[in-house]
Coordinates of all heavy atoms in Angstrom, one line a residue:
V1 N 26.8 71.6 -1.5 CA 25.6 70.8 -2.0 C 24.9 71.5 -3.1 O 24.5 72.7 -2.9 CB 24.7 70.6 -0.8 CG1 23.5 69.8 -1.2 CG2 25.4 70.0 0.4
H2 N 25.0 70.9 -4.3 CA 24.5 71.6 -5.4 C 23.0 71.8 -5.5 O 22.3 71.3 -4.7 CB 25.0 70.9 -6.7 CG 26.5 70.9 -6.8 ND1 27.2 72.0 -7.1 CD2 27.4 69.9 -6.5 CE1 28.5 71.7 -7.2 NE2 28.7 70.4 -6.8
R3 N 22.5 72.4 -6.5 CA 21.1 72.8 -6.6 C 20.2 71.6 -6.7 O 19.2 71.6 -6.1 CB 21.0 73.8 -7.9 CG 19.6 74.1 -8.2 CD 19.4 74.9 -9.3 NE 18.0 75.1 -9.7 CZ 17.5 75.9 -10.6 NH1 18.4 76.6 -11.4 NH2 16.2 76.0 -10.8
F4 N 20.6 70.7 -7.6 CA 19.7 69.5 -7.8 C 20.2 68.4 -7.0 O 21.4 68.0 -7.0 CB 19.7 69.1 -9.3 CG 19.1 70.2 -10.2 CD1 20.0 71.1 -10.9 CD2 17.8 70.5 -10.2 CE1 19.4 72.0 -11.7 CE2 17.2 71.5 -11.0 CZ 18.1 72.3 -11.8
R5 N 19.3 67.9 -6.0 CA 19.7 66.9 -5.1 C 18.8 65.7 -5.1 O 17.6 65.8 -5.4 CB 19.5 67.5 -3.7 CG 20.3 68.8 -3.5 CD 19.8 69.7 -2.4 NE 20.6 70.9 -2.6 CZ 20.7 71.8 -1.6 NH1 20.1 71.6 -0.5 NH2 21.4 72.9 -1.8
I6 N 19.5 64.6 -5.1 CA 18.6 63.3 -5.0 C 18.6 62.9 -3.6 O 19.6 62.8 -2.9 CB 19.4 62.2 -5.9 CG1 19.3 62.6 -7.3 CG2 18.6 60.9 -5.6 CD1 19.8 61.6 -8.3
M7 N 17.4 62.6 -3.2 CA 17.1 62.3 -1.7 C 16.6 60.8 -1.8 O 15.9 60.4 -2.7 CB 16.1 63.2 -1.2 CG 16.4 64.7 -1.3 SD 17.8 65.2 -0.4 CE 17.3 65.1 1.2
R8 N 16.9 60.1 -0.7 CA 16.5 58.7 -0.6 C 15.7 58.5 0.7 O 16.1 59.0 1.7 CB 17.7 57.8 -0.7 CG 17.3 56.3 -0.5 CD 18.3 55.3 -0.7 NE 19.5 55.6 0.1 CZ 20.7 55.3 -0.4 NH1 20.9 54.8 -1.7 NH2 21.8 55.6 0.2
W9 N 14.7 57.7 0.6 CA 13.9 57.4 1.8 C 13.8 55.8 1.7 O 13.5 55.2 0.7 CB 12.5 57.9 1.7 CG 11.6 57.4 2.8 CD1 11.5 57.9 4.1 CD2 10.7 56.3 2.7 NE1 10.6 57.2 4.8 CE2 10.1 56.2 4.0 CE3 10.4 55.4 1.8 CZ2 9.1 55.1 4.3 CZ3 9.5 54.4 2.1 CH2 8.8 54.3 3.3
E10 N 14.0 55.1 2.9 CA 14.0 53.7 2.9 C 13.0 53.3 4.0 O 12.9 53.9 5.1 CB 15.3 53.1 3.3 CG 16.4 53.3 2.2 CD 17.6 52.6 2.5 OE1 17.5 51.4 2.8 OE2 18.7 53.1 2.3
E11 N 12.2 52.3 3.7 CA 11.2 51.7 4.7 C 12.1 50.9 5.7 O 12.7 50.1 5.3 CB 10.2 50.9 4.0 CG 9.1 50.4 4.9 CD 8.0 49.7 4.2 OE1 8.4 48.8 3.3 OE2 6.9 50.0 4.4
L12 N 11.9 51.4 6.9 CA 12.8 50.7 8.0 C 12.0 49.6 8.7 O 10.7 49.7 8.7 CB 13.1 51.8 9.1 CG 14.0 52.9 8.6 CD1 14.1 54.0 9.7 CD2 15.4 52.4 8.1
P13 N 12.6 48.6 9.3 CA 11.9 47.6 10.0 C 11.1 48.3 11.1 O 11.5 49.3 11.6 CB 13.0 46.7 10.6 CG 14.2 47.0 9.7 CD 14.1 48.4 9.3
E14 N 10.0 47.7 11.5 CA 9.1 48.2 12.5 C 9.9 48.6 13.8 O 9.5 49.6 14.5 CB 8.0 47.2 12.8 CG 6.9 47.8 13.6 CD 6.2 49.1 13.0 OE1 6.0 49.0 11.8 OE2 6.0 50.0 13.7
T15 N 10.8 47.7 14.2 CA 11.5 48.0 15.4 C 12.3 49.3 15.4 O 12.4 50.1 16.3 CB 12.5 46.9 15.8 OG1 13.4 46.7 14.8 CG2 11.7 45.7 16.3
H16 N 12.9 49.6 14.2 CA 13.6 50.8 13.9 C 12.7 52.0 13.9 O 13.0 53.1 14.5 CB 14.4 50.8 12.6 CG 15.6 49.8 12.7 ND1 15.5 48.6 12.2 CD2 16.8 50.0 13.2 CE1 16.7 48.0 12.3 NE2 17.5 48.8 13.0
Q17 N 11.6 51.8 13.3 CA 10.6 52.9 13.2 C 10.1 53.2 14.6 O 9.9 54.4 14.9 CB 9.4 52.4 12.4 CG 9.6 52.3 10.8 CD 8.4 51.9 10.1 OE1 7.4 52.4 10.4 NE2 8.6 51.1 9.1
R18 N 9.9 52.3 15.4 CA 9.3 52.5 16.8 C 10.4 53.3 17.6 O 10.1 54.3 18.3 CB 9.1 51.2 17.5 CG 8.3 51.4 18.8 CD 7.8 50.0 19.4 NE 8.5 48.8 19.0 CZ 8.1 47.9 18.0 NH1 6.9 48.1 17.4 NH2 8.8 46.8 17.8
A19 N 11.7 52.9 17.4 CA 12.8 53.6 18.1 C 13.0 55.1 17.7 O 13.1 55.9 18.6 CB 14.1 52.8 17.9
L20 N 12.8 55.3 16.5 CA 12.9 56.7 16.0 C 11.6 57.5 16.5 O 11.8 58.6 17.0 CB 12.8 56.7 14.4 CG 14.1 56.3 13.8 CD1 14.0 56.2 12.3 CD2 15.3 57.3 14.1
R21 N 10.5 56.9 16.5 CA 9.4 57.6 17.0 C 9.5 57.9 18.5 O 9.0 59.0 18.9 CB 8.0 56.8 16.8 CG 7.6 56.8 15.3 CD 6.2 56.2 15.1 NE 5.8 56.3 13.7 CZ 5.9 55.2 12.9 NH1 6.4 54.1 13.2 NH2 5.6 55.4 11.6
E22 N 10.1 57.0 19.3 CA 10.3 57.3 20.7 C 11.2 58.5 20.9 O 11.2 59.1 21.9 CB 10.8 56.1 21.3 CG 9.8 54.9 21.5 CD 10.4 53.6 22.0 OE1 11.7 53.6 22.2 OE2 9.7 52.6 22.1
K23 N 12.1 58.8 19.9 CA 13.0 59.9 19.9 C 12.4 61.2 19.3 O 13.1 62.2 19.2 CB 14.3 59.5 19.3 CG 15.1 58.5 19.9 CD 16.4 58.1 19.1 CE 17.1 57.0 19.8 NZ 18.3 56.6 19.0
G24 N 11.1 61.1 18.9 CA 10.5 62.2 18.3 C 10.8 62.4 16.8 O 10.6 63.4 16.3
I25 N 11.3 61.4 16.2 CA 11.6 61.5 14.7 C 10.6 60.7 13.9 O 10.3 59.5 14.3 CB 13.0 60.9 14.5 CG1 14.1 61.6 15.3 CG2 13.4 60.9 13.0 CD1 15.5 60.9 15.3
D26 N 10.1 61.3 12.9 CA 9.1 60.6 12.1 C 9.8 59.8 11.0 O 10.5 60.4 10.1 CB 8.1 61.7 11.4 CG 7.1 61.1 10.6 OD1 7.0 59.8 10.4 OD2 6.3 61.9 10.0
P27 N 9.8 58.5 11.1 CA 10.5 57.7 10.0 C 9.9 57.8 8.6 O 10.6 57.5 7.7 CB 10.4 56.3 10.6 CG 9.2 56.3 11.5 CD 9.1 57.7 12.0
D28 N 8.7 58.3 8.5 CA 8.1 58.5 7.2 C 8.6 59.7 6.4 O 8.2 59.9 5.4 CB 6.5 58.4 7.3 CG 6.0 57.1 7.8 OD1 6.7 56.1 7.5 OD2 5.0 57.1 8.6
D29 N 9.2 60.6 7.3 CA 9.7 61.8 6.7 C 11.2 62.0 6.9 O 11.7 63.0 7.2 CB 9.0 63.0 7.3 CG 9.2 64.3 6.5 OD1 9.3 64.2 5.3 OD2 9.3 65.4 7.1
R30 N 11.9 60.8 6.7 CA 13.3 60.8 7.1 C 14.0 60.6 5.8 O 14.3 59.4 5.3 CB 13.7 59.7 8.0 CG 15.1 59.7 8.6 CD 15.2 58.8 9.7 NE 16.5 58.7 10.2 CZ 17.4 57.8 9.9 NH1 17.0 56.8 9.2 NH2 18.6 57.8 10.4
W31 N 14.4 61.7 5.0 CA 15.0 61.5 3.7 C 16.6 61.8 3.9 O 16.9 62.7 4.7 CB 14.4 62.6 2.8 CG 13.0 62.3 2.4 CD1 12.0 62.5 3.1 CD2 12.6 61.6 1.2 NE1 10.8 62.1 2.4 CE2 11.2 61.5 1.2 CE3 13.2 61.0 0.1 CZ2 10.4 60.9 0.3 CZ3 12.5 60.5 -0.9 CH2 11.2 60.4 -0.8
S32 N 17.4 61.2 3.1 CA 18.8 61.3 3.1 C 19.3 61.9 1.8 O 18.9 61.4 0.8 CB 19.5 60.0 3.4 OG 19.1 59.4 4.6
L33 N 20.2 62.9 1.9 CA 20.8 63.4 0.7 C 21.9 62.4 0.2 O 22.8 62.1 1.1 CB 21.5 64.8 1.0 CG 22.4 65.3 -0.1 CD1 21.5 65.7 -1.3 CD2 23.2 66.5 0.4
I34 N 21.8 62.0 -1.0 CA 22.9 61.0 -1.4 C 23.6 61.4 -2.7 O 24.6 60.8 -3.0 CB 22.1 59.6 -1.6 CG1 21.1 59.7 -2.8 CG2 21.6 59.0 -0.4 CD1 20.8 58.4 -3.3
Y35 N 23.2 62.5 -3.3 CA 23.8 63.0 -4.5 C 23.4 64.4 -4.8 O 22.2 64.8 -4.6 CB 23.4 62.1 -5.6 CG 24.1 62.5 -7.0 CD1 25.4 62.1 -7.3 CD2 23.3 63.1 -8.0 CE1 25.9 62.4 -8.6 CE2 23.9 63.4 -9.2 CZ 25.1 63.0 -9.5 OH 25.7 63.4 -10.7
S36 N 24.3 65.2 -5.3 CA 23.9 66.6 -5.7 C 24.7 67.0 -7.0 O 25.8 66.5 -7.1 CB 24.1 67.6 -4.7 OG 25.4 67.9 -4.4
T37 N 24.1 67.8 -7.8 CA 24.7 68.2 -9.0 C 24.2 69.6 -9.4 O 23.0 69.9 -9.1 CB 24.6 67.2 -10.2 OG1 25.1 67.7 -11.4 CG2 23.1 67.0 -10.5
P38 N 24.9 70.4 -10.2 CA 24.4 71.7 -10.6 C 23.5 71.5 -11.9 O 22.9 72.5 -12.3 CB 25.6 72.5 -10.9 CG 26.7 71.5 -11.2 CD 26.5 70.3 -10.4
I39 N 23.6 70.3 -12.5 CA 22.9 70.1 -13.8 C 21.7 69.1 -13.6 O 21.9 68.0 -13.2 CB 23.9 69.5 -14.8 CG1 25.1 70.4 -14.9 CG2 23.3 69.2 -16.1 CD1 26.3 69.8 -15.6
R40 N 20.5 69.6 -14.0 CA 19.3 68.7 -13.8 C 19.4 67.5 -14.5 O 19.0 66.4 -14.1 CB 18.0 69.5 -14.2 CG 16.8 68.7 -14.1 CD 15.6 69.5 -14.1 NE 14.4 68.7 -13.7 CZ 14.0 68.5 -12.5 NH1 14.6 69.2 -11.5 NH2 13.0 67.8 -12.2
E41 N 19.9 67.5 -15.8 CA 20.0 66.3 -16.5 C 20.9 65.2 -15.9 O 20.5 64.0 -16.0 CB 20.6 66.6 -18.0 CG 19.6 67.4 -18.8 CD 19.5 68.9 -18.5 OE1 20.5 69.4 -17.8 OE2 18.6 69.5 -18.9
D42 N 22.0 65.6 -15.2 CA 22.8 64.7 -14.5 C 22.0 64.1 -13.3 O 22.1 62.9 -13.1 CB 24.1 65.4 -14.0 CG 25.0 65.8 -15.2 OD1 24.8 65.2 -16.2 OD2 25.9 66.5 -14.8
A43 N 21.2 64.9 -12.7 CA 20.4 64.3 -11.6 C 19.4 63.4 -12.1 O 19.2 62.2 -11.5 CB 19.6 65.5 -10.9
E44 N 18.8 63.7 -13.3 CA 17.8 62.7 -13.8 C 18.4 61.3 -14.3 O 17.9 60.3 -14.1 CB 17.1 63.3 -15.0 CG 16.2 64.5 -14.6 CD 15.7 65.4 -15.7 OE1 16.2 65.2 -16.9 OE2 14.8 66.2 -15.5
T45 N 19.7 61.5 -14.8 CA 20.4 60.3 -15.2 C 20.7 59.4 -13.9 O 20.5 58.2 -13.9 CB 21.7 60.6 -15.9 OG1 21.4 61.3 -17.1 CG2 22.5 59.4 -16.2
M46 N 21.3 60.1 -12.9 CA 21.5 59.4 -11.7 C 20.3 58.8 -11.0 O 20.3 57.7 -10.5 CB 22.3 60.3 -10.7 CG 22.6 59.6 -9.4 SD 23.6 58.2 -9.6 CE 25.2 58.9 -9.8

């Protein structure tokens, strides 16, 4: 996983948010790694 990482957060339906909260997971702080590169300019392009 390279230095520059693109992370994605998606607003989930309320039922999914509730299910995550019941498991102790904060859906507002649930980011996913979707891309990484050693070059900042490539990350900005992506």
